[in-house]
Amino acid sequence: MTDQLSRVFAALADPTRRDIVARLTVADATVGALAEPYDVSVQAVSKHLKVLEDAGLVSRSRDAQRRPVHLEAEVFDLMTKWIERYRRQAEERFSRLDAVLAEMDSDTDHRSGSTREGTAS
Amino acid sequence: MTDQLSRVFAALADPTRRDIVARLTVADATVGALAEPYDVSVQAVSKHLKVLEDAGLVSRSRDAQRRPVHLEAEVFDLMTKWIERYRRQAEERFSRLDAVLAEMDSDTDHRSGSTREGTAS
DNA sequence: CTCCTCGTCAACCTGTTGGTTGACAACGAG
DNA sequence: CTCGTTGTCAACCAACAGGTTGACGAGGAG
């Protein structure tokens, strides 16, 4: 799962991690403060933060022995762009439905094979 | 990973699955046609489709022994809503940065503890 | 009826994830 | 200097994800 888009989606696939992101939109926080509401060890939260950091969603600075966690909201744009692109494409397709049906019929043996393009990642 | 939002994010965390979604924005397709470009077995693609279906991103109908796969674009809204909500919150926060810094300073021992709300999922 | 195609199900294997506990580095406070 | 706090690292474990192969059901074509 090398590409960033995959890492971002994977990071947000976990409810705890999503909740952490949600709380970070309000204010930066230390690892301990972030861990407090959850019923897991601080180490587990530290791991979650590593996942978020590897995805580029979060950054950590240094303040004595504390490590304040900061949300990097720009990465959201990466997702939004991907989603919007294909959502728009899907809507456009919806408006030329007949063409689609025609294509499926002519698919008898030469199976298009070159509908490819865009291709995520 | 019970909630749908988690399932949707997890489904899109895989490049192959994202590519399948991308191709389905162009036209519905059969499992075989979808599998053809990838260097994996048809069974593997069948599994990917199950993941997408469980996430509500895709539906399958019946046409003789074929199972045309159809994109359900509405689910995109679920993600978009989540993302936009917290993106906006993050931007709003950015505009009152001083308040944030003040809060981090007063965090000495009573650690806010009630910043909770929204909470994903 | 028999065969071939399309797709799913089941069993299995390997790598990754999310959690645990224990040790330890960094650093301010006494 | 020593202690308590904050957080990470390492080892370990159970569960899950993504892939494989083999068998099989459903249905059109001969």
Side-chain angles (χ1 to χ4, degrees), chain B residues 77-113:
Chain B
D77 296 343
L78 202 65
M79 281 188 296
T80 306
K81 253 157 93 178
W82 189 90
I83 295 169
E84 284 309 312
R85 167 176 184 180
Y86 292 113
R87 202 236 296 270
R88 223 174 306 116
Q89 205 161 325
E91 279 161 3
E92 175 190 323
R93 177 222 167 175
F94 196 66
S95 63
R96 54 178 173 80
L97 228 200
D98 347 67
V100 168
L101 294 188
E103 208 217 306
M104 286 201 64
D105 265 287
S106 71
D107 204 43
T108 337
D109 80 334
H110 69 303
R111 58 162 60 88
S112 57

Side-chain angles (χ1 to χ4, degrees), chain B residues 12-96:
Chain B
L12 295 180
D14 184 288
T16 302
R17 252 146 22 205
R18 270 200 316 276
D19 193 56
I20 290 176
V21 167
R23 291 167 62 206
L24 286 174
T25 60
V26 174
D28 291 4
T30 65
V31 177
L34 286 173
E36 187 255 357
Y38 312 120
D39 194 20
V40 298
S41 64
V42 173
Q43 289 94 322
V45 173
S46 188
K47 278 195 188 180
H48 280 310
L49 290 173
K50 190 158 167 26
V51 172
L52 290 170
E53 188 175 31
D54 289 348
L57 278 160
V58 133
S59 66
R60 281 117 127 197
S61 45
R62 169 121 257 175
D63 167 35
Q65 68 273 71
R66 240 139 287 128
R67 309 292 314 270
V69 181
H70 174 75
L71 185 68
E72 297 293 338
E74 308 81 54
V75 191
F76 281 23
D77 296 343
L78 202 65
M79 281 188 296
T80 306
K81 253 157 93 178
W82 189 90
I83 295 169
E84 284 309 312
R85 167 176 184 180
Y86 292 113
R87 202 236 296 270
R88 223 174 306 116
Q89 205 161 325
E91 279 161 3
E92 175 190 323
R93 177 222 167 175
F94 196 66
S95 63
R96 54 178 173 80

Side-chain angles (χ1 to χ4, degrees), chain A residues 31-50:
Chain A
V31 177
L34 286 173
E36 186 254 357
Y38 312 119
D39 195 20
V40 298
S41 64
V42 173
Q43 289 95 322
V45 173
S46 188
K47 279 195 186 179
H48 280 309
L49 290 173
K50 190 158 168 27

Side-chain angles (χ1 to χ4, degrees), chain A residues 3 18 28 77 87 93, chain B residues 3 18 28 77 87 93:
Chain A
D3 64 298
R18 269 199 318 275
D28 291 4
D77 296 343
R87 203 237 295 271
R93 176 222 168 177
Chain B
D3 64 298
R18 270 200 316 276
D28 291 4
D77 296 343
R87 202 236 296 270
R93 177 222 167 175

Side-chain angles (χ1 to χ4, degrees), chain A residues 68-121:
Chain A
V69 181
H70 174 74
L71 186 68
E72 298 292 338
E74 308 82 55
V75 191
F76 280 24
D77 296 343
L78 202 66
M79 281 188 295
T80 307
K81 253 157 91 178
W82 189 89
I83 295 169
E84 283 309 311
R85 167 177 184 179
Y86 291 114
R87 203 237 295 271
R88 223 174 306 118
Q89 205 161 324
E91 279 162 3
E92 174 191 323
R93 176 222 168 177
F94 196 66
S95 63
R96 55 177 173 81
L97 229 200
D98 347 67
V100 168
L101 294 189
E103 209 218 304
M104 285 202 63
D105 264 287
S106 71
D107 204 42
T108 338
D109 80 335
H110 70 306
R111 56 164 63 86
S112 55
S114 59
T115 323
R116 324 286 314 300
E117 36 111 28
T119 69
S121 91

Side-chain angles (χ1 to χ4, degrees), chain A residues 1 5-14 17 51, chain B residues 9-10 12-13:
Chain A
M1 212 201 307
L5 195 49
S6 293
R7 289 197 301 268
V8 174
F9 276 123
L12 294 179
D14 184 288
R17 251 144 26 202
V51 173
Chain B
F9 276 123
L12 295 180

